[in-house]
Amino acid sequence: MCSLLEVKNITKCFSKRLSGFFYKKKETFAALQDVSFSLDSGESMGLIGESGSGKTTVANILLRLIEADQGQVLFNGEDITRLHGYKQLYPIRRNIQAVFQNSGTSLDSHMTLEDIITEPLRNYNLPTKRRAEESLELVGLPSDWAKRKPYQLSGGQRQRVSIARAMVLKPSLLILDEATSNLDVITSSQILALMRRLHEENQTAILFISHDISAVDKLCTKKAVMKDGRIVETLRSLDLNEASHPYTRKLIESKMSVSL
Ligand SMILES: Nc1ncnc2c1ncn2[C@@H]1O[C@H](COP(=O)(O)OP(=O)(O)OP(=O)(O)O)[C@@H](O)[C@H]1O
Ligand SMILES: [Mg+2]
């Protein structure tokens, strides 16, 4: 049986514009180099690493928001690396959803929560009756808030609405990119608990991108560590005895010193 997601030897370069007094020069640099990993159905994997190491670029390639220069992404065994346009991506987008750090703040302020949450269902011609109420309850918000608008909610509540919207199609893969980063500690831990529950109840596979390695440790069974566009190590537990790469060891040691 194939994995839900197989990422094979992905490379992505961006151009870096160098401006001098008399010249403008373009240079490219590799944001991702030979990145490979796989994720099984219902599995949760964390992607950790310093800022600029390429985590969001991985997410954007999986979501087909940008295209890889080299390598392959297989989803349910199908090569989705070079799919283009609405028609080709339509069936894939139903099964891969994402929540970003600013997802809550970018909700359309003119729409009601009901319209926001059920929009993906309408895009796929699926029934919407009572789905907004059910989804609100699922993410721990009152079901009678369906007619409210985003500006009437706090940041944490809006982020819950984003999760409800991402989960409404019951995707097989949910990508969470720093989805709890701008929230206070309590809201963030409530949302993490919610994700763990949604993950367990729906068997949704999760790719959890975060700087919070304690959260990654709690939520994910597998952890991939990125540095300078490469996955330097994949491990089951963020434990010094298991880590072999010096950067992973440094990350774990920094986590231990913070929790002292
Ligand atoms: N569209 C783009 N054009 C040019 N460079 C880009 C683009 N997107 C990302 N980069 C660069 O690629 C590198 C990886 O960026 P990426 O956003 O993937 O990092 P990250 O690991 O998600 O960082 P953070 O933890 O800060 O979110 C960075 O050097 C970034 O500046
Ligand atoms: Mg990022």
Side-chain angles (χ1 to χ4, degrees), residues 81-191:
T81 333
R82 317 258 163 243
L83 295 186
H84 274 292
Y86 180 76
K87 213 169 162 187
Q88 286 186 348
L89 289 166
Y90 183 78
I92 304 299
R93 297 234 154 105
R94 179 170 177 175
N95 276 310
I96 308 181
Q97 292 286 316
V99 181
F100 291 94
Q101 180 171 359
N102 57 356
S103 293
T105 51
S106 55
L107 298 176
D108 188 333
S109 58
H110 300 292
M111 290 169 80
T112 61
L113 303 189
E114 179 176 25
D115 288 342
I116 290 169
I117 293 171
T118 56
E119 191 176 43
L121 294 169
R122 288 194 300 281
N123 289 342
Y124 286 89
N125 297 318
L126 295 167
T128 56
K129 195 159 186 261
R130 297 269 326 141
R131 292 299 306 278
E133 289 80 359
E134 286 164 18
S135 299
L136 284 168
E137 268 173 27
L138 194 71
V139 297
L141 293 174
S143 56
D144 58 5
W145 281 16
K147 298 292 177 206
R148 286 195 182 200
K149 294 196 170 166
Y151 68 84
Q152 296 170 300
L153 274 59
S154 73
Q157 290 163 345
R158 282 199 295 264
Q159 198 64 343
R160 284 173 192 260
V161 173
S162 307
I163 296 170
R165 180 185 158 96
M167 288 298 293
V168 78
L169 288 168
K170 299 195 179 0
S172 31
L173 172 62
L174 180 63
I175 299 174
L176 301 160
D177 187 356
E178 303 289 353
T180 59
S181 298
N182 56 356
L183 303 174
D184 68 84
V185 186
I186 293 177
T187 312
S188 159
S189 64
Q190 285 170 345
I191 290 191

Side-chain angles (χ1 to χ4, degrees), residues 55-57 177-178 209:
K55 305 177 300 293
T56 298
T57 306
D177 187 356
E178 303 289 353
I209 298 172

Side-chain angles (χ1 to χ4, degrees), residues 209-229:
I209 298 172
S210 179
H211 287 122
D212 182 349
I213 66 172
S214 305
V216 170
D217 216 5
K218 279 187 206 140
L219 189 69
C220 308
T221 47
K222 188 157 91 178
K223 293 97 185 167
V225 182
M226 286 196 76
K227 182 163 174 33
D228 301 331

Side-chain angles (χ1 to χ4, degrees), residues 14-15 29 31 49-58 177-178 211:
F14 289 119
S15 60
F29 76 100
E50 63 198 1
S51 189
S53 56
K55 305 177 300 293
T56 298
T57 306
V58 170
D177 187 356
E178 303 289 353
H211 287 122

